[in-house]
């Protein structure tokens, strides 16, 4: 679905769902993709703090500075949570991409442009996937005004 958030620096849930008990088996994984648009017109650099929660485990990270611009940036958050041969140990990794405000008028775009953010992240989790668990993501913008954020697509897949 699509949602939007404008000028708010309080934590805002982007999606939340229940992962059914046992659906991941011993080697299964959850693949999550969240597409969004972000605009920073604060007049200064801004950041976004992301929280991804799976059961009782929460991962929090903050983007690098995102330069101010009247033009929006498109972005994607991709991550995997995978059981590691047991229903109580998972690997977790992903990447956050936020594009530049401008692109080339010809060719494939402005590869190597500044203001492009590519952040990888990962951790190990110990959640019991034989029980139902909540999977959610939230974000907090660093400025209370001059920011806009729109969720364009959220896709959660069970793989394996």
């Amino acid at each position: 679905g699509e949602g939007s958030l404008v000028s708010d620096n309080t934590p805002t849930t982007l999606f939340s769902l229940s992962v059914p008990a046992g659906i991941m088996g011993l080697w299964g994984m959850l693949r999550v993709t969240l597409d969004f648009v972000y605009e920073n017109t604060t007049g200064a650099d801004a950041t976004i703090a992301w929280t991804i929660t799976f059961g009782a485990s929460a991962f929090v990270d903050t983007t690098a500075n995102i330069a101010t611009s009247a033009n929006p940036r498109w972005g994607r958050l991709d991550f995997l949570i995978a059981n590691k041969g047991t229903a109580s140990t998972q690997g977790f990794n992903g990447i956050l991409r936020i594009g530049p405000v401008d692109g080339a008028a010809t060719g494939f775009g402005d590869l190597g442009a500044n203001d492009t953010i590519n952040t990888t992240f990962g951790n190990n989790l110990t959640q019991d996937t034989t029980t139902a668990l909540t999977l959610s993501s939230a974000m907090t913008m660093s400025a209370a005004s001059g920011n806009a954020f729109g969720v364009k697509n959220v896709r959660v897949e069970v793989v394996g």
Side-chain angles (χ1 to χ4, degrees):
E2 184 173 333
S4 63
L5 174 67
V6 177
S7 300
D8 194 347
N9 66 343
T10 59
T12 301
T13 299
L14 303 174
F15 73 88
S16 180
L17 59 94
S18 179
V19 177
I23 198 166
M24 293 173 66
L26 297 179
W27 292 99
M29 69 176 65
L30 302 174
R31 179 173 39 208
V32 180
T33 301
L34 186 145
D35 297 318
F36 61 90
V37 63
Y38 173 72
E39 188 175 291
N40 171 18
T41 59
T42 62
D45 289 353
T47 61
I48 300 173
W50 295 87
T51 302
I52 299 168
T53 304
F54 184 58
S57 295
F59 173 82
V60 181
D61 200 3
T62 301
T63 65
N65 284 330
I66 303 168
T68 189
S69 175
N71 297 316
R73 293 169 167 82
W74 289 91
R76 173 172 276 183
L77 172 67
D78 286 310
F79 64 91
L80 300 170
I81 298 174
N83 276 345
K84 295 165 71 173
T86 174
S88 61
T89 304
Q90 299 82 35
F92 166 68
N93 67 65
I95 185 167
L96 170 66
R97 296 179 293 265
I98 302 175
V101 295
D102 301 306
T106 62
F108 294 109
D110 196 5
L111 297 175
N114 58 6
D115 296 334
T116 298
I117 295 173
N118 288 296
T119 302
T120 59
F121 52 88
N123 207 343
N124 289 307
L125 309 175
T126 55
Q127 298 300 304
D128 180 4
T129 59
T130 63
T131 63
L133 297 169
T134 299
L135 172 64
S136 64
S137 182
M139 55 83 68
T140 306
M141 292 184 277
S142 63
S145 61
N147 283 302
F149 187 94
V151 175
K152 299 301 179 183
N153 178 56
V154 177
R155 184 174 61 247
V156 180
E157 302 170 273
V158 179
V159 181

